[in-house]
Amino acid sequence: MMKRHIYDCQAGCPVESTLQIIAGKWKSVILYHLFVDHNCHFSDLERKIKDCSHRMLAIQLAELEHDQVIAKIPTNTANRPIYVLTEFGKTLKPVITAMATWGDYYNAHMTKEAQQLDTNEDKKSKLDMPLPKPNLL
Amino acid sequence: MMKRHIYDCQAGCPVESTLQIIAGKWKSVILYHLFVDHNCHFSDLERKIKDCSHRMLAIQLAELEHDQVIAKIPTNTANRPIYVLTEFGKTLKPVITAMATWGDYYNAHMTKEAQQLDTNEDKKSKLDMPLPKPNLL
DNA sequence: CAGCATCCTCTTTGATACTG
DNA sequence: CAGTATCAAAGAGGATGCTG
């Protein structure tokens, strides 16, 4: 277990190195919520990320913890730890912020398109989307 | 075909919207190379991304083209088009840049750690990595 | 509630081969 | 060279049940 998508961290592309850490299906989403809320229980994340199953959430959290991106902190309430970003994990903020910013712009544009009843699937509709600007986190 | 990881673009998390477009195993890597080189032949990308198979590269390019992120431009040399970013695709630059910047810092830090013969796997070694700063693209 | 284990299914992906 | 098709192997992921 704990194998994962193997990208080549050496030869060349720095994006592959980043993917080695955040490429899990729900990892960047989990990180986004932790940047917003700072600390969450398992059940908090489960509620925020509805499409991620209980099992998947546990796996993704375990991998992020293994990679020192997040840490599990015990609480007085037994068996109900909170998850927080480590200092290392916090260095990923620019990446998650960029993703969140772009996603918001994309949503805003797509929603507007949808309101125009743009039925021709999604052809051409994306091509005039303006550059994202604001910052969220 | 052309199914793909379905994230919830509506309810809440903007990161999920971004993933809907760039979550493919090699998509962000392809985009990185296109931001660096501006236009590439299929074989150029194949050479740059050694761990991505011929088949996978074709699939990822097809999906990116379908999503209007890149465009395939015919050339005089028959059957040898070049791939370029669309205007829409260019809006992803901040995202790819953030990933590349972080990856470079991560590599620099990990390499230094490796030189110190840090054998205890990777425990704790990531925790003191400084925040990434420079911009590459 | 958190989270691990098992089972079982569907998807992804590499290897190989074939076309324009 | 670019792109597609087929096949088999590997991996991802849901459902369920069990434990502390």
Side-chain angles (χ1 to χ4, degrees):
Chain A
M1 58 177 326
M2 203 70 75
K3 319 171 187 181
R4 261 173 300 168
H5 8 249
I6 285 141
Y7 294 94
D8 191 344
C9 292
Q10 335 299 347
C13 180
V15 170
E16 295 195 39
S17 303
T18 302
L19 289 175
Q20 186 65 33
I21 301 295
I22 65 164
K25 187 169 185 181
W26 297 103
K27 288 182 187 174
S28 53
V29 178
I30 290 168
L31 294 178
Y32 169 75
H33 289 297
L34 288 178
F35 274 118
V36 171
D37 275 9
H38 302 300
N39 56 266
C40 294
H41 291 289
F42 187 95
S43 53
D44 294 330
L45 293 167
E46 208 164 18
R47 185 167 25 76
K48 290 170 191 289
I49 317 175
K50 298 205 179 57
D51 290 332
C52 179
S53 69
H54 183 83
R55 179 180 167 280
M56 264 299 100
L57 183 56
I59 290 174
Q60 300 286 289
L61 286 171
E63 291 189 1
L64 285 171
E65 189 189 2
H66 171 88
D67 285 340
Q68 316 265 316
V69 176
I70 64 175
K72 197 193 301 185
I73 299 183
T75 62
N76 41 0
T77 316
N79 290 326
R80 200 150 179 280
I82 56 174
Y83 288 95
V84 299
L85 292 154
T86 62
E87 287 308 307
F88 172 62
K90 290 175 186 169
T91 65
L92 281 163
K93 185 166 178 174
V95 178
I96 304 300
T97 300
M99 293 180 70
T101 301
W102 191 88
D104 272 328
Y105 255 78
Y106 178 70
N107 281 342
H109 181 74
M110 289 299 107
T111 301
K112 193 174 63 182
E113 290 296 324
Q115 290 172 347
Q116 294 169 6
L117 291 175
D118 199 323
T119 326
N120 10 336
E121 217 198 34
D122 48 7
K123 294 288 176 194
K124 294 185 170 62
S125 62
K126 293 170 185 167
L127 295 179
D128 56 310
M129 192 174 93
L131 257 166
K133 280 156 205 162
N135 231 342
L136 310 160
L137 299 180
Chain B
M1 59 180 323
M2 204 70 75
K3 319 172 187 182
R4 259 174 302 169
H5 10 247
I6 285 143
Y7 294 93
D8 191 344
C9 290
Q10 334 300 347
C13 181
V15 170
E16 295 195 41
S17 303
T18 302
L19 289 175
Q20 186 65 34
I21 300 295
I22 66 166
K25 187 169 185 182
W26 296 103
K27 287 181 186 174
S28 53
V29 178
I30 291 169
L31 294 178
Y32 169 75
H33 289 297
L34 287 178
F35 274 117
V36 171
D37 277 8
H38 302 298
N39 57 267
C40 295
H41 291 289
F42 187 97
S43 53
D44 293 329
L45 292 167
E46 209 164 17
R47 186 166 24 77
K48 290 170 191 287
I49 316 176
K50 298 205 179 56
D51 291 332
C52 180
S53 69
H54 183 82
R55 179 180 166 282
M56 263 299 99
L57 183 56
I59 291 175
Q60 300 286 288
L61 287 171
E63 292 189 359
L64 285 171
E65 189 189 2
H66 171 88
D67 285 339
Q68 317 264 315
V69 175
I70 64 175
K72 198 194 301 185
I73 299 181
T75 60
N76 42 359
T77 316
N79 290 327
R80 201 153 176 278
I82 56 173
Y83 288 95
V84 299
L85 292 154
T86 61
E87 287 308 306
F88 172 62
K90 289 175 186 169
T91 65
L92 281 163
K93 185 166 179 175
V95 177
I96 303 301
T97 300
M99 293 179 70
T101 301
W102 191 87
D104 272 328
Y105 255 76
Y106 177 70
N107 281 341
H109 180 76
M110 289 299 107
T111 302
K112 195 175 61 182
E113 291 296 324
Q115 290 171 345
Q116 294 170 3
L117 292 175
D118 198 322
T119 325
N120 11 335
E121 217 201 33
D122 48 7
K123 292 291 174 190
K124 295 186 171 63
S125 61
K126 294 170 184 166
L127 296 179
D128 56 309
M129 194 174 93
L131 256 167
K133 281 157 204 160
N135 232 343
L136 310 160
L137 299 180

